Amino acid sequence: MTTAFQQRRLAELRRRTYRRVAIACAVLALPTAAGVAALSPLLDVDRVRVEGARRLTPAAVEEAARVGDGPLALVDTAAAQRRLVALPGVKRATVTREWPSSVVVTVVERVPVVAVPRDGRTELYDVEGVLVDTVATAPASLPRLAVPSGSPSPEVVGAAVALLRSLPRALRREVRDLTAAGPAELSFHLADGAEVVWGDSARTKEKVRALTLLVPQKAKRYDVRVPDRPAVTPR
């Protein structure tokens, strides 16, 4: 025969068991409820905000990202980023969700440093030698790379970009037209009209140092092909 104490004990054990089962069911139901909520039309993509676009239009960036207007939770941000960095002129891109219904697309564009005329058009390259854009008319602020005849070869373009990359930023801004008979025969003009005869890519650091010291002289011509014996032609 069961005593009153034992009955109370069994009832308490049953209550504890029921409570544990109820808690477990509630916990298991949370992901399902969250998933259903995330797919609610209230959490669909209503807006794509584009940041960092300068040369590219926000519309072109949004079109390349192809985010769509479905559930924000299902936006494949990694795939959108891959599509964006495939755009000419885009160096990096990030795509993030902004709850409840926005996607933020941030691009870092490549900055052109030299214009290369080719076949009636002008190619723009950045300081890493990557093609940024092809335009009908080069921006007036960019130095133009020319060869005595024909179009610059990839080797000449690479040599010109390497030259520009080696210069301090302040001096690089002063560079105007570049001329190259070949990768080892580079020269350029500065904003004040002075000519700089550079030569090949040998002893680049020494050439940069020599030119930096000579430019304050405001000469007509600087020949730094042999940097420890530079030749200067006064105005």
Side-chain angles (χ1 to χ4, degrees):
M1 222 178 138
T2 305
T3 65
F5 173 77
Q6 290 173 327
Q7 289 175 349
R8 288 195 300 273
R9 180 63 174 167
L10 288 172
E12 178 63 24
L13 288 174
R14 281 195 293 270
R15 282 195 295 271
R16 288 182 183 179
T17 301
Y18 293 153
R19 188 161 53 243
R20 288 171 182 168
V21 170
I23 291 173
C25 290
V27 170
L28 291 173
L30 281 176
T32 301
V36 171
L39 298 179
S40 165
L42 296 175
L43 299 180
D44 281 354
V45 177
D46 292 333
R47 181 189 178 202
V48 177
R49 188 169 79 248
V50 177
E51 299 179 347
R54 299 294 181 269
R55 296 183 57 80
L56 294 167
T57 64
V61 173
E62 185 175 343
E63 182 180 356
R66 298 208 304 271
V67 169
D69 56 2
L72 181 60
L74 299 184
V75 172
D76 191 337
T77 57
Q81 287 171 189
R82 287 194 296 270
R83 288 191 288 270
L84 287 166
V85 296
L87 279 176
V90 173
K91 187 173 185 177
R92 293 190 301 276
T94 57
V95 179
T96 56
R97 300 179 185 87
E98 191 173 80
W99 298 95
S101 56
S102 296
V103 172
V104 181
V105 177
T106 305
V107 295
V108 177
E109 296 181 333
R110 294 185 178 276
V111 180
V113 296
V114 65
V116 180
R118 197 187 304 280
D119 300 327
R121 303 278 287 174
T122 301
E123 297 175 346
L124 308 181
Y125 290 85
D126 75 349
V127 76
E128 295 176 355
V130 176
L131 179 64
V132 175
D133 200 359
T134 301
V135 296
T137 304
S141 59
L142 285 185
R144 177 176 175 273
L145 173 62
V147 297
S149 61
S151 297
S153 66
E155 292 76 20
V156 167
V157 173
V161 168
L163 186 162
L164 291 169
R165 186 169 58 240
S166 71
L167 298 176
R169 184 172 297 178
L171 189 54
R172 188 191 308 159
R173 291 189 183 124
E174 297 297 309
V175 175
R176 296 302 180 259
D177 292 343
L178 295 102
T179 304
E185 300 177 75
L186 293 167
S187 63
F188 57 90
H189 286 85
L190 298 175
D192 64 1
E195 181 186 15
V196 178
V197 182
W198 191 264
D200 58 20
S201 60
R203 304 179 68 182
T204 295
K205 290 183 179 179
E206 295 169 77
K207 291 178 181 180
V208 171
R209 189 180 305 115
L211 182 59
T212 303
L213 292 173
L214 292 172
V215 162
Q217 296 185 21
K218 301 295 182 182
K220 180 180 179 180
R221 186 172 187 265
Y222 310 98
D223 187 336
V224 295
R225 286 176 292 183
V226 183
D228 46 2
R229 292 194 303 278
V232 178
T233 302
R235 290 188 183 274

